[in-house]
Amino acid sequence: YGGPPANYRISRVIDIICRMNLTAFFLCLMLGNPLDLYVACPLHTYFFFLIWMAMRLQYEANYSKYLFRLKLFGFACFIFLFWDCDFGLRETLHSFLGHSSGSVGGLIGFVRELDYISYLHHWAAFIGAVYAINQPILSLQLRKLESLGKIPRFLAKGFMLGALGLGASCWVDGPHQQAIAYFGVVPFLFYIYLRNMLDTLRERHIGLFSWIGKY
């Protein structure tokens, strides 16, 4: 999404939003389920808009090594002010999506659920963007690591695996709800590193998931 200006056109945005939400919408109609059960789809749309706006504003800076990172720093500051500071910004925005004086927190059920889940994962989109930007560097690091001898390669991989494993084990025993917004990435990093640690694992994947990701 950070490529040519044509990637930011409104028709493309609408196309992506429809692909993310239409299936859940029709399932709600067919099964008579409340939208709360499919909050993951609106949540992905929510964060897609966040990333799209961050990339669309001054998109010329996306091609500059340092300006792009400065822009991401401003994006991180916005996330911190919006979700982590008690200025009422999040509550104000979500109250426009739906408000009911008879429900908990003054928000209707679906919006209250969206508000809660978005808080738990409010750093996820930013972390994903940072990873996407640095993916070529990480790929180069892996290739260089694989070119080392067996003992240095084993020690380096073992150290990383041990550090991430220790973090993941602390996460399992820790306070999930309070910490998930900030440290929820640790078990994912552990899984990603474990999944890509060996050549034989990196060479194998599920074709369907790969196709969906490209589509």
Side-chain angles (χ1 to χ4, degrees):
Y1 301 103
N7 286 358
Y8 304 106
R9 64 187 187 275
I10 299 299
S11 59
R12 186 168 186 262
V13 173
I14 294 174
D15 176 58
I16 293 172
I17 292 172
C18 289
R19 281 190 281 165
M20 286 194 291
N21 292 277
L22 279 181
T23 301
F25 174 74
F26 285 116
L27 279 174
C28 288
L29 293 180
M30 291 174 62
L31 302 177
N33 290 329
L35 192 59
D36 305 43
L37 297 178
Y38 307 95
V39 71
C41 295
L43 180 68
H44 280 78
T45 305
Y46 191 95
F47 286 123
F48 167 75
F49 271 120
L50 191 66
I51 291 293
W52 180 80
M53 287 188 292
M55 300 295 290
R56 178 64 181 85
L57 293 173
Q58 298 296 321
Y59 64 82
E60 297 87 357
N62 298 347
Y63 304 97
S64 171
K65 179 179 179 180
Y66 297 105
L67 285 179
F68 193 21
R69 282 155 177 78
L70 184 62
K71 189 165 107 166
L72 282 178
F73 175 74
F75 180 37
C77 291
F78 168 78
I79 293 174
F80 179 77
L81 292 174
F82 191 80
W83 272 282
D84 294 304
C85 296
D86 191 17
F87 295 145
L89 298 175
R90 191 175 88 251
E91 291 80 4
T92 301
L93 173 64
H94 293 166
S95 66
F96 282 108
L97 298 177
H99 188 276
S100 174
S101 58
S103 60
V104 179
L107 299 175
I108 61 175
F110 167 73
V111 179
R112 186 174 68 250
E113 183 73 11
L114 180 64
D115 178 82
Y116 173 68
I117 299 296
S118 71
Y119 173 78
L120 291 183
H121 302 281
H122 65 271
W123 285 107
F126 175 77
I127 293 172
V130 171
Y131 176 81
I133 294 166
N134 293 285
Q135 190 273 336
I137 301 173
L138 295 174
S139 177
L140 177 63
Q141 187 268 340
L142 272 176
R143 292 196 299 271
K144 286 188 174 182
L145 183 60
E146 294 296 342
S147 66
L148 298 177
K150 290 184 177 180
I151 294 178
R153 188 167 68 242
F154 176 80
L155 291 175
K157 290 183 177 181
F159 175 78
M160 285 296 299
L161 185 64
L164 289 172
L166 179 62
S169 64
C170 293
W171 162 256
V172 170
D173 298 328
H176 295 70
Q177 299 300 327
Q178 293 81 3
I180 191 172
Y182 312 99
F183 301 106
V185 68
V186 174
F188 286 103
L189 282 177
F190 176 68
Y191 167 75
I192 291 171
Y193 185 77
L194 187 65
R195 170 66 178 80
N196 296 280
M197 189 172 61
L198 301 175
D199 284 341
T200 53
L201 293 176
R202 291 198 298 271
E203 290 171 355
R204 288 165 172 78
H205 66 279
I206 299 176
L208 176 62
F209 288 169
S210 177
W211 178 80
I212 292 173
K214 293 175 183 177
Y215 176 71

